Amino acid sequence: MSSKPAVPEKIQNQIIPYLAPKIKGCIANLPSAQLDQLEEIRLRLGKPLSLHMMKSEMFLGESGKLSRLAREGYIVTEDDVVRTLAAVSGNSVYALEEELKRGFITIRGGHRVGLAGKTILEGGQIKSMKEFSGLAIRVARELPGCGNTLMGRIMAERGRPHNTLIISPPRCGKTTLLRDLARQLGDELNVAVIDERSELAGCFRGEPQLDVGAKSDVLEGCPKALGIGMAIRALAPEVLITDEIGRYEDVEAVEECLNAGVKIISTAHAKDMEDLKRRPVMQEIFKQHSFEMVVILSRRKGPGTIEKLIRLD
Amino acid sequence: MIIKMIGVSFIVSASGWLGLYKASQLSHRTKVIRQLRMDLEFLEKEIGFSRNPLEQALSRTAGVSCEPNKGLFTKACRELRSEPSTTAREAWSKGVAHLSKSGALTDEDLNIISLIGERMGTSDVSDQVRMLRQAGTEMKIQEEKSLRREGSEKKLWSYGGFLLGLMISILLI
């Protein structure tokens, strides 16, 4: 497999070209070491341009200087928002109806652009968005090998993994870890990735932008409960990987998966087991003994720190 | 006498040619507007039905259009391709500027076409379709106006040019 470009290179080639010229001017001169730390670019209309770095939030000035002071940040104009949106949407907001309903667009490279603006409702559901006031461009990061430790611990007999649930509070690296597990398992087994929020594979026009394994099939933008059934019937997976279970309809889908003899690896938002067990949906899932292992993550030693591995069988 | 005859024939043919040219311009405008309405309908299908990205939708519309309207879509498409942060409004406005150089349309026609660029690509499908249909309806009114003008003025210009040439010649002799 060809080597993946480094994060600064990805930002230079896949994100900066989409920015409005003035924002581009501010950010293009950042040194590689700072680009490497960049997690998110936030454009808020009439507010200073902010960059979420790995360890802090900084404001970026017109001269390209980073500062902790908001007053030193370049003030984002309507023109900046309009031009950046024009670039990320290809001037085709009408072609992104599903993306607007979800509130974000995925661009080439799997980077996500979250949108802020006025929502248009129809029958109580979000139909579209307009009058955009902000954009949050999140840099997609792959950490090949971040799942190595866990891989060795979740594998069971015949080279297949245990049914595993990875839990943590937000921003602890669940999705990145899950993606690497998909990549490693997908190189050996038939894996179905149900990517409801386009975060795992970061598909751009149907093509996964992030490596989820050579033998993985991706169902993108598909609700988990529907996607699990569809994948079992149509794709004959040995392992099914999906992010963030937690709705009542997921309980039935997970059960269907187990009944079909398909292994499942998923994630859920929770601080610890107690927190998890307090949720009625998770109680249902545990009642049916769906998962054999629970992995608890934190950011204690950086995102993806394995705090505890609990065997439930 | 011969010089006078040559002079008269020169004045009559020049003025007659000018009249014929103006008459042909009148029918050309109607044809261009009619073609543009068809192009807008095609663009509406590209956006509303196929949901093709704007750049592709413009390129495909250029493919089925003919000059001078083809230039409008080709120019707008090229502008979008040149720089990702170019807005559809800017690209369309450059396309309209290109179209105006052909001289086939009036300022009133061009203003209606320019308005399409204001919201192009920036809203949902139903809004885009509504906007293009509205522009189509307005162009239909322009086409009818142009047809009426063609009916009333075409003959005037066709014969008027020669008659004017004759009158000038008589006055000069």
Side-chain angles (χ1 to χ4, degrees):
Chain A
M1 191 181 285
S2 62
S3 65
K4 293 263 171 190
V7 171
E9 199 182 324
K10 279 171 92 174
I11 294 172
Q12 289 283 2
N13 299 331
Q14 296 169 348
I15 294 180
I16 291 178
Y18 284 103
L19 299 172
K22 282 186 182 163
I23 308 274
K24 210 184 279 185
C26 297
I27 211 167
N29 294 327
L30 278 180
S32 285
Q34 278 171 335
L35 285 181
D36 199 42
Q37 296 288 306
L38 184 59
E39 283 186 336
E40 199 169 73
I41 304 167
R42 303 289 301 237
L43 277 72
R44 296 181 180 98
L45 184 56
K47 303 274 190 278
L49 173 63
S50 74
L51 303 184
H52 283 236
M53 312 302 275
M54 274 186 178
K55 287 175 186 156
S56 56
E57 186 174 353
M58 308 287 274
F59 298 95
L60 187 62
E62 209 160 347
S63 60
K65 190 186 153 210
L66 279 174
S67 166
R68 287 186 189 279
L69 303 172
R71 65 169 185 272
E72 290 183 7
Y74 165 76
I75 302 297
V76 175
T77 64
E78 190 181 355
D79 187 66
D80 295 325
V81 174
V82 167
R83 285 184 186 282
T84 308
L85 181 70
V88 297
S89 68
N91 276 293
S92 312
V93 167
Y94 58 84
L96 301 167
E97 223 156 74
E98 285 308 312
E99 286 86 343
L100 293 182
K101 279 182 197 168
R102 292 184 308 201
F104 64 85
I105 300 168
T106 305
I107 58 173
R108 195 178 291 284
H111 313 287
R112 262 175 59 167
V113 183
L115 306 163
K118 188 175 176 181
T119 53
I120 303 167
L121 299 178
E122 195 176 71
Q125 300 285 316
I126 294 172
K127 185 188 165 217
S128 187
M129 282 179 88
K130 62 177 184 179
E131 294 166 18
F132 296 92
S133 58
L135 301 162
I137 305 167
R138 188 186 280 190
V139 180
R141 280 173 189 274
E142 288 176 280
L143 287 175
C146 70
N148 287 354
T149 316
L150 196 56
M151 270 298 282
R153 316 232 349 230
I154 64 167
M155 292 310 281
E157 78 284 0
R158 284 181 286 135
R160 296 175 76 190
H162 287 293
N163 296 315
T164 306
L165 182 67
I166 303 167
I167 64 165
S168 82
R171 301 191 71 224
C172 286
K174 287 188 296 289
T175 305
T176 310
L177 181 62
L178 194 61
R179 185 184 303 124
D180 196 52
L181 294 180
R183 180 186 67 82
Q184 297 198 35
L185 290 165
D187 283 342
E188 304 294 332
L189 303 166
N190 285 330
V191 171
V193 178
I194 317 299
D195 197 5
E196 185 171 352
R197 300 185 306 154
S198 302
E199 277 190 310
L200 284 167
C203 287
F204 175 73
R205 292 180 188 165
E207 186 190 343
Q209 301 289 300
L210 307 169
D211 190 1
V212 285
K215 290 167 72 180
S216 294
D217 295 300
V218 180
L219 281 179
E220 189 222 355
C222 183
K224 280 181 279 290
L226 295 174
I228 290 173
M230 195 193 281
I232 292 169
R233 285 189 295 277
L235 302 169
E238 291 165 287
V239 182
L240 202 140
I241 286 181
T242 188
D243 212 0
E244 288 181 21
I245 54 165
R247 284 181 292 204
Y248 275 104
E249 55 265 36
D250 299 341
V251 181
E252 217 171 293
V254 169
E255 194 178 0
E256 188 183 352
C257 193
L258 300 177
N259 290 341
V262 178
K263 295 291 179 184
I264 183 165
I265 303 178
S266 189
T267 64
H269 279 303
K271 196 168 78 219
D272 49 33
M273 280 302 278
E274 285 65 43
D275 188 15
L276 196 68
K277 282 179 177 169
R278 269 198 290 272
R279 292 185 203 163
V281 177
M282 298 317 289
Q283 284 169 12
E284 286 295 314
I285 286 183
F286 283 119
K287 232 185 261 175
Q288 65 191 31
H289 304 288
S290 308
F291 291 99
E292 297 155 295
M293 266 188 176
V294 173
V295 180
I296 303 172
L297 300 184
S298 77
R299 280 180 78 99
R300 197 166 47 86
K301 294 178 189 167
T305 308
I306 299 172
E307 284 293 337
K308 215 186 241 181
L309 203 142
I310 303 164
R311 292 209 47 156
L312 299 174
D313 49 359
Chain B
M1 188 64 187
I2 292 171
I3 294 169
K4 276 185 184 173
M5 288 296 285
I6 293 169
V8 165
S9 61
F10 176 75
I11 291 167
V12 170
S13 55
S15 146
W17 179 84
L18 208 71
L20 289 174
Y21 173 74
K22 276 299 274 185
S24 77
Q25 280 282 93
L26 286 174
S27 55
H28 184 54
R29 178 185 167 218
T30 314
K31 276 183 208 159
V32 170
I33 293 176
R34 195 174 295 142
Q35 175 66 45
L36 192 62
R37 280 203 306 115
M38 289 196 290
D39 296 340
L40 292 178
E41 277 171 25
F42 188 87
L43 184 63
E44 180 197 312
K45 286 186 184 77
E46 283 293 302
I47 288 174
F49 181 69
S50 308
R51 312 265 167 116
N52 282 329
L54 188 60
E55 189 189 303
Q56 194 183 343
L58 289 170
S59 162
R60 284 170 60 92
T61 309
V64 297
S65 183
C66 48
E67 292 296 352
N69 298 335
K70 191 185 183 79
L72 161 70
F73 299 102
T74 310
K75 177 78 179 162
C77 177
R78 271 194 206 137
E79 286 297 319
L80 286 181
R81 272 186 198 149
S82 66
E83 163 62 45
S85 63
T86 301
T87 62
R89 180 194 288 209
E90 288 169 330
W92 186 254
S93 130
K94 289 197 176 154
V96 174
H98 183 81
L99 175 64
S100 74
K101 283 183 202 158
S102 74
L105 299 173
T106 63
D107 286 347
E108 201 182 346
D109 303 331
L110 292 167
N111 283 339
I112 294 167
I113 304 163
S114 294
L115 285 176
I116 298 171
E118 298 283 313
R119 296 202 326 260
M120 185 175 256
T122 59
S123 55
D124 60 21
V125 168
S126 56
D127 188 59
Q128 293 290 301
V129 168
R130 208 179 310 126
M131 176 193 73
L132 288 167
R133 280 193 190 157
Q134 177 65 31
T137 308
E138 284 172 28
M139 289 314 285
K140 175 82 183 155
I141 295 169
Q142 291 302 103
E143 186 188 331
E144 281 161 8
K145 275 191 202 169
S146 178
L147 264 173
R148 275 200 299 273
R149 197 172 161 206
E150 196 185 320
S152 62
E153 292 181 25
K154 196 172 177 184
K155 279 185 184 166
L156 184 77
W157 281 105
S158 303
Y159 301 119
F162 291 103
L163 290 173
L164 186 72
L166 275 173
M167 274 175 67
I168 293 168
S169 308
I170 292 165
L171 286 172
L172 288 174
I173 294 167

